[in-house]
């Protein structure tokens, strides 16, 4: 789901997801002066330092093993050796992804698992050969070596030279004391020599060192951007693989949700309407037996059975409404949500602004999302009023439920909001909760618009 959540989808009087808070801690120094001392600079510098020895090892192994296996492909030995080469490339790629996460702060997924067409060693070999990530990982091991030489050389040179020149006024005394010359020699021949030793030259040298020191973090950041591109392009799963994994996860959520709904319907029928109908049948049977002996008692039992029938009918209506309300099919979201709002324990203002009705599946999900959120308002919020807003932005359907309750709602594991977020995610939807302690609570759901 590629929605930028920082974007404000709201309109006037109808806020969207909300942006970053304005209460961020203010820094005393500008970014340019903080950069040489920030943890990010040292992590990126550490990445460039480690890249060279790691890339030398991986490059050597990749080139050697690939060349050997290619040369042996004329025999059977070349096939398993090439598969082992690709498998080792996948292993090194996993290590590089871990290093990129730790030092570059990259959010990168793991490689897709190998899917063997048949069990056994040859099935594994075929899966390794068919996996596009295996070949991309091998290409990364080859291409990263020359680039790591550049990044290591440039970053170490600029970093060491910058700090050396910046601190030169502190250690230039080493030259006359131990080296036998007045300072760093800029120029010299048999007739004349130029040294950096007077206060003006020391100040200029330190100024140049300061400029290099301040520029080095940004230079290293630019170099590591290329590393990021290499990692994204050659080590991250493809968009198709990511989508397949996401759909597999969503399919599991949908299956679990459907199974849970079926169990709920079965439980409600068994414990509610079915039990009442059984009691109704028994009561009518007893009334039939007493009809001739005691007509008054039989009439009283028939009257009780009539009450049971009405209660069972109400339970069946509630159950049918929980499956799919008729008002939603007949009149759409506006009327259906107004009906839900009328059953809430607090006053609810509903505003639906849609050009036309979405697809029935999306409409149903929107209805049950708002219904569950309003149930939470009734049970847990302690609010005195709530609002429901529904509108469309481009190809997305936005739902927002706001209340003035105690707040503190979270999408935690095992909570109702967590289950609702999983259901929305199964259809490429998003649930965003903004609920500070003491309120108010604003919960925004985003669904794809389909007609």
């Amino acid at each position: 789901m590629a929605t930028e959540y920082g974007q404000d989808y709201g309109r006037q009087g109808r806020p969207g997801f909300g942006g970053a808070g304005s209460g961020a801690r203010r820094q005393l120094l500008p970014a340019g002066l903080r950069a040489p001392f920030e943890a990010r600079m040292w992590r990126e510098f550490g990445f460039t330092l480690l890249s060279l020895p790691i890339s030398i090892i991986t490059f050597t192994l990749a080139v050697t093993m690939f060349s050997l296996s290619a040369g042996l492909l004329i025999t059977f030995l070349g096939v398993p050796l090439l598969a082992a080469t690709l498998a080792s490339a996948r292993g090194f790629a996993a290590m590089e992804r871990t290093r990129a996460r730790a030092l570059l702060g990259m959010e990168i997924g793991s490689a897709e698992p190998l899917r063997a067409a048949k069990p056994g060693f040859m099935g594994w070999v075929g899966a390794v050969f068919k996996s596009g990530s295996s070949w991309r990982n091998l290409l990364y091991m080859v291409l990263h070596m020359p680039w790591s030489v550049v990044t290591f050389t440039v970053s170490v040179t600029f970093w060491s030279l910058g700090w050396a020149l910046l601190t030169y006024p502190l250690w230039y005394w080493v030259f006359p004391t131990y080296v036998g010359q007045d300072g760093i020699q800029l120029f010299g021949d048999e007739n004349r020599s130029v040294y950096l030793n007077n206060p003006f030259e020391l100040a200029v040298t330190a100024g140049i060192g300061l400029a290099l020191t301040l520029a080095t973090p940004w230079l290293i950041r630019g170099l590591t951007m290329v590393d990021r591109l290499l990692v994204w392009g050659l080590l991250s799963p493809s968009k198709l693989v990511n989508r397949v994994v996401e759909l597999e996860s969503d399919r599991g959520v949908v299956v679990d949700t459907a199974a849970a709904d079926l169990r709920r319907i079965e439980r409600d029928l068994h414990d509610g309407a079915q039990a009442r109908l059984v009691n109704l049948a028994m009561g009518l049977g007893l009334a039939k037996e007493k009809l001739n002996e005691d007509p008054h008692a039989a009439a009283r039992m028939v009257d009780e059975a009539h009450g049971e029938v009405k209660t069972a009918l109400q339970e069946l209506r509630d159950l049918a409404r929980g499956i799919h309300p008729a008002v939603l099919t007949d009149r759409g979201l506006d009327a259906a949500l107004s009906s839900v709002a009328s059953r809430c324990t607090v006053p609810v203002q509903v505003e639906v602004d849609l050009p036309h009705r979405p697809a029935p599946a999306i409409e149903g999900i929107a209805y049950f999302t708002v219904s569950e959120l309003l149930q939470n308002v009734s049970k847990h919020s302690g609010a005195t009023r709530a609002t429901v807003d529904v509108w469309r932005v481009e190809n997305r359907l936005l739902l927002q439920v706001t209340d003035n309750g105690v707040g503190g709602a979270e999408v935690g594991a095992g909570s109702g909001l967590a289950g609702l977020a999983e259901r929305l995610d199964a259809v490429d939807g998003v649930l965003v909760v903004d609920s500070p302690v003491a309120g108010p609570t604003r919960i925004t759901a985003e669904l794809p618009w389909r007609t």
Side-chain angles (χ1 to χ4, degrees):
M1 290 160 288
T3 305
E4 293 292 338
Y5 304 133
Q7 180 181 358
D8 189 357
Y9 283 125
R11 298 172 295 181
Q12 185 176 0
R14 188 178 290 174
F17 292 172
S22 59
R25 184 178 61 184
R26 300 183 63 182
Q27 300 289 346
L28 297 178
L29 295 177
L33 297 179
R34 297 195 314 268
F37 309 99
E38 288 183 330
R40 175 177 178 178
M41 181 270 175
W42 293 105
R43 289 196 300 267
E44 293 174 342
F45 188 38
F47 186 89
T48 61
L49 294 180
L50 291 174
S51 291
L52 183 60
I54 291 177
S55 65
I56 290 175
I57 296 173
T58 56
F59 178 86
T60 303
L61 287 175
V63 172
T64 302
M65 294 182 67
F66 182 80
S67 301
L68 180 60
S69 58
L72 292 175
L73 281 179
I74 193 172
T75 67
F76 177 76
L77 293 177
V79 174
L81 185 57
L82 182 57
T85 302
L86 294 175
S88 64
R90 293 175 63 91
F92 280 113
M95 179 191 68
E96 284 295 280
R97 282 191 291 269
T98 302
R99 193 165 67 99
R101 294 189 193 103
L103 299 179
L104 298 184
M106 295 182 65
E107 294 293 335
I108 180 173
S110 301
E112 70 272 17
L114 296 176
R115 302 178 184 273
K118 56 182 179 180
F121 176 73
M122 294 309 298
W124 174 81
V125 170
V128 172
F129 285 157
K130 292 178 181 179
S131 173
S133 64
S134 302
W135 296 98
R136 293 197 305 271
N137 297 162
L138 183 63
L139 181 61
Y140 175 87
M141 294 172 65
V142 176
L143 295 181
H144 193 243
M145 163 62 179
W147 175 246
S148 64
V149 173
V150 174
T151 57
F152 181 90
T153 303
V154 173
S155 59
V156 170
T157 299
F158 273 78
W159 182 85
S160 58
L161 182 61
W163 281 103
L165 295 181
L166 177 61
T167 59
Y168 178 62
L170 302 177
W171 58 271
Y172 86 97
W173 56 270
V174 172
F175 290 93
T177 303
Y178 297 104
V179 182
Q181 63 185 43
D182 294 336
I184 295 178
Q185 185 176 4
L186 290 182
F187 170 78
D189 56 20
E190 57 185 14
N191 298 321
R192 182 168 175 264
S193 297
V194 178
Y195 298 96
L196 299 176
N197 56 359
N198 62 56
F200 174 76
E201 293 172 345
L202 294 179
V204 171
T205 302
I208 296 174
L210 177 61
L212 291 176
T213 301
L214 295 178
T216 298
W218 307 100
L219 177 63
I220 294 176
R221 190 164 301 175
L223 294 173
T224 54
M225 286 302 297
V226 179
D227 287 288
R228 288 183 171 91
L229 292 176
L230 286 173
V231 172
W232 275 119
L234 299 177
L235 299 186
S236 63
S238 64
K239 292 182 179 180
L240 179 60
V241 170
N242 286 333
R243 186 58 177 166
V244 169
V245 172
E246 182 180 349
L247 290 176
E248 288 179 346
S249 175
D250 292 346
R251 180 183 62 185
V253 172
V254 170
V255 171
D256 293 341
T257 300
D261 289 340
L262 289 175
R263 289 194 299 269
R264 176 182 60 83
I265 294 171
E266 188 276 336
R267 183 179 62 251
D268 291 344
L269 285 173
H270 182 272
D271 298 340
Q274 181 179 346
R276 293 190 181 277
L277 291 175
V278 170
N279 291 333
L280 172 62
M282 294 175 61
L284 290 176
L286 292 175
K288 180 180 178 181
E289 293 178 359
K290 290 183 175 290
L291 185 60
N292 296 326
E293 300 176 1
D294 190 353
H296 294 288
R300 186 176 64 255
M301 297 176 68
V302 170
D303 185 63
E304 292 175 356
H306 181 257
E308 288 288 327
V309 168
K310 292 192 292 184
T311 304
L313 286 175
Q314 183 60 42
E315 290 181 352
L316 289 174
R317 289 192 191 98
D318 294 339
L319 182 60
R321 186 184 296 113
I323 298 173
H324 193 85
V327 65
L328 179 62
T329 303
D330 298 336
R331 301 174 58 190
L333 269 177
D334 196 353
L337 295 183
S338 298
S339 176
V340 172
S342 66
R343 298 192 297 270
C344 189
T345 58
V346 301
V348 180
Q349 179 182 354
V350 179
E351 183 179 349
V352 178
D353 183 12
L354 297 176
H356 49 271
R357 296 178 62 173
I362 299 300
E363 197 173 51
I365 294 173
Y367 170 83
F368 288 111
T369 299
V370 174
S371 177
E372 187 165 340
L373 292 177
L374 288 181
Q375 288 181 18
N376 290 340
V377 171
S378 299
K379 295 177 181 178
H380 310 297
S381 71
T384 58
R385 66 180 184 275
T387 60
V388 175
D389 290 314
V390 182
W391 71 101
R392 177 186 176 184
V393 176
E394 297 178 353
N395 62 340
R396 308 296 284 183
L397 175 64
L398 278 297
L399 319 168
Q400 191 170 91
V401 177
T402 307
D403 66 74
N404 63 344
V406 296
E410 295 180 354
V411 186
S415 69
L417 290 178
L420 187 58
E422 290 180 353
R423 294 190 181 193
L424 292 177
D425 184 65
V427 292
D428 286 345
V430 180
L431 185 73
V432 178
V433 178
D434 179 16
S435 182
V437 177
T441 296
R442 179 192 302 154
I443 300 180
T444 307
E446 176 188 331
L447 289 167
W449 178 271
R450 297 170 187 163
T451 57

